[in-house]
Structures are given as C-alpha cells and as structure tokens.
Amino acid sequence: MPHRNAPLTETGRLRLARCVVEDGWPLRRAAERFQVSPTTAQRWAERYRRFGEAGMSDLSSRPRTSPHRTPTHTERRIIKVRILRRWGPARIAHLLRLVPSTVHRVLTRYGLARLTHLDRATGRIIRRYERGRPGELVHVDIKELGNIPDGGGHKALGRQAGRKTRSGTG
C-alpha cells in the first residue's frame, strides 16, 4: 500500500492511464510527468485497458500455488510426533531428517502451542486467570518485613517516638 504522497496512488494510476489511453499521450511523456519509468506507465495503461478503473487497485502478492510447500504426509508426521512425544521443533527435525525451521513453520500453521504453554501431564494448553470481568480476581502478595509495634513505628510517630517502641528498648 503506497503512502498518500506517492506519485502513483490509485487516483494517480488512473490519471496516468487515462492520459495514455484516452488522451493519447506517449508513454515516455506520461512516465516523465508522473515520475515513473516507461515500463511502469505501460503496465498501468495495460491494466486500465483490460480492467478499467477496477484494475487500478493493488493486487494480492500471495502466490497462486506453492510448489515447494511441505507435503501433507510430512506435515502429518510432524504433528503426530509433536502430539505423542511432546517434542520441540529441533528434536522432531532431527528424527524426521528435516530442517527445524520447516518443522516450526508447520507447527505454527496448525496452531500447535509452544511446549511451555502446555501442561506436561495432559498436554492441554494452560489457561491462567480467565475471569468474566476485569478486576474480578485480585491477587495480593504479602511479605512480612518486620514487627511493627502497636501504635505504629517511626514513619507514623517520627524518629524519636519510633525508637521508644522498638523491641529491646524501654
């Protein structure tokens, strides 16, 4: 997606294509005017001829096919080892003679959680602190740091009065 000041936003592409197709501008002149290469100007003019205004929007860069994708049989083996043995990508890759990045990509694609997010005994995902409303569960850690005498210590009474209440002194 281009930024709004780019020479060829969808509106700029449409203006470029209309100059070439409808107004009959030479490609070089139109390319110079819109600060793009003649090849780019030709590309947008051809898209305008074929698809009209609808052809000026960005197309998906996703490939139509993935000929080098990991075969389904291999993906199933990876998932089976992960579920049965609860191994990480490196150990699974060594066992199946694959690359660890490929194993990790397959595990991510199928949404298998990290091993640290699983309960070791059951293999289920651990969900912590799921509450219906925010603030419903309040967790307070308390650590006793010292004996605070009745009536308060030096912070409440001041340094001199606080010393009198210390244990071991009168």
Side-chain angles (χ1 to χ4, degrees):
M1 182 171 154
H3 59 85
R4 66 189 158 129
N5 293 331
L8 288 186
T9 57
E10 290 186 22
T11 308
R13 295 171 192 163
L14 183 61
R15 289 193 343 239
L16 167 68
R18 283 184 177 160
C19 287
V20 173
V21 175
E22 295 174 2
D23 299 339
W25 285 27
L27 279 174
R28 287 203 179 276
R29 181 176 170 215
E32 188 177 310
R33 161 69 179 82
F34 287 91
Q35 300 174 350
V36 294
S37 69
T39 308
T40 302
Q42 182 179 9
R43 178 183 307 125
W44 291 113
E46 288 299 320
R47 289 255 306 257
Y48 183 71
R49 284 187 188 106
R50 287 183 65 193
F51 303 110
E53 286 188 34
M56 298 297 103
S57 60
D58 290 326
L59 297 177
S60 172
S61 60
R62 181 175 182 240
R64 289 183 186 86
T65 61
S66 298
H68 298 292
R69 183 175 168 164
T70 308
T72 308
H73 174 70
T74 306
E75 289 182 352
R76 286 185 182 150
R77 288 176 58 204
I78 291 169
I79 293 167
K80 182 179 178 183
V81 172
R82 173 58 169 249
I83 291 172
L84 293 179
R85 299 187 185 184
R86 294 193 193 109
W87 283 359
R91 289 183 76 183
I92 295 172
H94 181 73
L95 176 72
L96 301 179
R97 295 193 173 114
L98 297 169
V99 181
S101 60
T102 301
V103 175
H104 182 267
R105 191 178 313 117
V106 170
L107 294 174
T108 304
R109 184 181 307 136
Y110 285 93
L112 294 174
R114 291 177 167 267
L115 290 174
T116 56
H117 297 167
L118 298 178
D119 179 31
R120 286 182 178 245
T122 62
R124 293 184 179 177
I125 297 175
I126 300 171
R127 300 269 183 224
R128 300 185 195 274
Y129 299 116
E130 290 186 7
R131 307 307 299 172
R133 297 182 319 272
E136 185 178 354
L137 177 69
V138 177
H139 180 85
V140 179
D141 284 339
I142 298 174
K143 181 178 180 184
E144 190 174 330
L145 295 175
N147 294 329
I148 301 172
D150 292 338
H154 75 275
K155 292 239 178 178
L157 303 174
R159 283 269 178 215
Q160 288 298 72
R163 288 184 192 199
K164 292 178 185 172
T165 59
R166 286 177 60 187
S167 61
T169 59

